[in-house]
Amino acid sequence: MATLQPRSTLAPWLRNRTTLSSSQGCSNLSGLQFPSAKRKSRGVLEIARRPGLTVCSSNSKGVRLQETSVTKEDRRKLLHQKGCIVWITGLSGAGKSTLAFTMDRTMMAMGKLTYVLDGDNIRHGLCKDLGFSAADRQENIRRVGEVATLFADAGLITLVSFISPYKRDRDIVREMVPPGHFIEVFMNVPLEVCERRDAKGLYKLARAGVIKGFTGIDDPYEKPETPEITIHDVDEKGGPVSPDQMAWTVIQYLADKGFFSE
């Protein structure tokens, strides 16, 4: 496996930074250009659109998609990387979070900007009002998909570790980003292995009937049909695969696809 050399993105930023003094007003910044804008009669400031701008639909009247003068290309040059979503899916106990956080630490050392959206962590905040019904699971994935899309648009390599058991929900998120920017990573670890690990004791509770609708026990997990990457817990010789090996498999894919390009 090829070795990727770490690189800091701080030095180029320091060389090219622009300093704004406190005396510069918001409407008179020398050397900076802003897109033209026009004032609507209803008081809505609408940024002039560039050709090809897609306006999303909204249920609220008067809502406009505001365009930024900072482009994805600007962010790519700043960060020396392309934003994307690495969607890690699999059964509970398959090692999704372990892979995500191992990648996070490894790419940080490489000078790459990443962020982990972990299923358990998200349910402590953004999705703390949701349960585990089919409808709530769908809303859970919709919310994190929207957040992941924003992070990817900002240029981050966004690492999402969610069971996300339903194919339709994963496919909806895939459609939110440009082709090739949703990398589905399937943790193909057998149920018996995940159940044997059972670090949280959830499988035991599910088998006892204490937890209802648990994925893999009494609720289905729909395996990805054509994931970009499939990770196994053992290699071809039957030996264990370490988290670092798993992480480098995904990192090498990102490198090969040009997500670390400058």
Side-chain angles (χ1 to χ4, degrees), residues 129-222:
D129 59 319
L130 299 177
F132 292 89
S133 66
D136 280 0
R137 286 175 183 267
Q138 183 179 21
E139 174 62 12
N140 187 43
I141 298 305
R142 188 198 68 80
R143 292 183 192 180
V144 75
E146 293 286 358
V147 173
T149 299
L150 292 174
F151 281 16
D153 186 66
L156 279 71
I157 297 173
T158 312
L159 310 173
V160 182
S161 55
F162 272 65
I163 293 175
S164 46
Y166 307 135
K167 178 181 181 298
R168 67 176 184 275
D169 296 338
R170 300 191 300 264
D171 287 346
I172 288 173
V173 181
R174 182 185 290 274
E175 293 300 318
M176 293 180 181
V177 294
H181 286 68
F182 181 93
I183 298 94
E184 189 172 42
V185 180
F186 173 37
M187 301 295 292
N188 191 5
V189 180
L191 174 62
E192 57 269 22
V193 174
C194 296
E195 193 166 356
R196 187 165 61 246
R197 292 172 177 174
D198 202 15
K200 303 173 185 177
L202 299 178
Y203 282 101
K204 184 178 181 180
L205 293 174
R207 291 292 187 187
V210 177
I211 297 178
K212 301 294 185 180
F214 191 78
T215 302
I217 303 300
D218 56 351
D219 200 69
Y221 175 78
E222 300 172 0

Side-chain angles (χ1 to χ4, degrees), residues 38-253:
K38 56 184 178 179
R39 180 71 62 176
K40 292 289 189 180
S41 60
R42 289 177 296 174
V44 178
L45 182 64
E46 183 178 54
I47 302 299
R49 301 172 182 171
R50 287 198 299 265
L53 176 65
T54 300
V55 180
C56 61
S57 62
S58 172
N59 292 327
S60 301
K61 294 183 179 179
V63 174
R64 300 287 189 273
L65 181 63
Q66 301 298 315
E67 184 188 7
T68 174
S69 59
V70 179
T71 67
K72 287 185 179 180
E73 182 67 12
D74 294 330
R75 296 187 181 98
R76 184 190 68 78
K77 291 178 180 179
L78 175 67
L79 299 173
H80 303 284
Q81 65 184 49
K82 297 177 183 177
C84 65
I85 298 175
V86 178
W87 193 279
I88 307 170
T89 177
L91 293 170
S92 177
K96 301 179 299 298
S97 297
T98 299
L99 173 58
F101 287 112
T102 301
M103 289 182 61
D104 193 32
R105 174 54 58 188
T106 302
M107 286 195 284
M108 173 66 73
M110 295 167 57
K112 300 304 175 183
L113 184 59
T114 61
Y115 195 85
V116 176
L117 297 174
D118 180 74
D120 285 353
N121 292 351
I122 291 294
R123 283 186 175 272
H124 281 280
L126 180 65
C127 297
K128 65 182 179 180
D129 59 319
L130 299 177
F132 292 89
S133 66
D136 280 0
R137 286 175 183 267
Q138 183 179 21
E139 174 62 12
N140 187 43
I141 298 305
R142 188 198 68 80
R143 292 183 192 180
V144 75
E146 293 286 358
V147 173
T149 299
L150 292 174
F151 281 16
D153 186 66
L156 279 71
I157 297 173
T158 312
L159 310 173
V160 182
S161 55
F162 272 65
I163 293 175
S164 46
Y166 307 135
K167 178 181 181 298
R168 67 176 184 275
D169 296 338
R170 300 191 300 264
D171 287 346
I172 288 173
V173 181
R174 182 185 290 274
E175 293 300 318
M176 293 180 181
V177 294
H181 286 68
F182 181 93
I183 298 94
E184 189 172 42
V185 180
F186 173 37
M187 301 295 292
N188 191 5
V189 180
L191 174 62
E192 57 269 22
V193 174
C194 296
E195 193 166 356
R196 187 165 61 246
R197 292 172 177 174
D198 202 15
K200 303 173 185 177
L202 299 178
Y203 282 101
K204 184 178 181 180
L205 293 174
R207 291 292 187 187
V210 177
I211 297 178
K212 301 294 185 180
F214 191 78
T215 302
I217 303 300
D218 56 351
D219 200 69
Y221 175 78
E222 300 172 0
K223 295 182 179 181
E225 296 174 357
T226 55
E228 281 72 16
I229 301 171
T230 299
I231 299 290
H232 297 275
D233 60 320
V234 295
D235 59 24
E236 295 177 352
K237 297 181 179 179
V241 180
S242 71
D244 284 335
Q245 290 173 305
M246 295 178 182
W248 275 106
T249 297
V250 184
I251 292 171
Q252 191 63 58
Y253 177 93

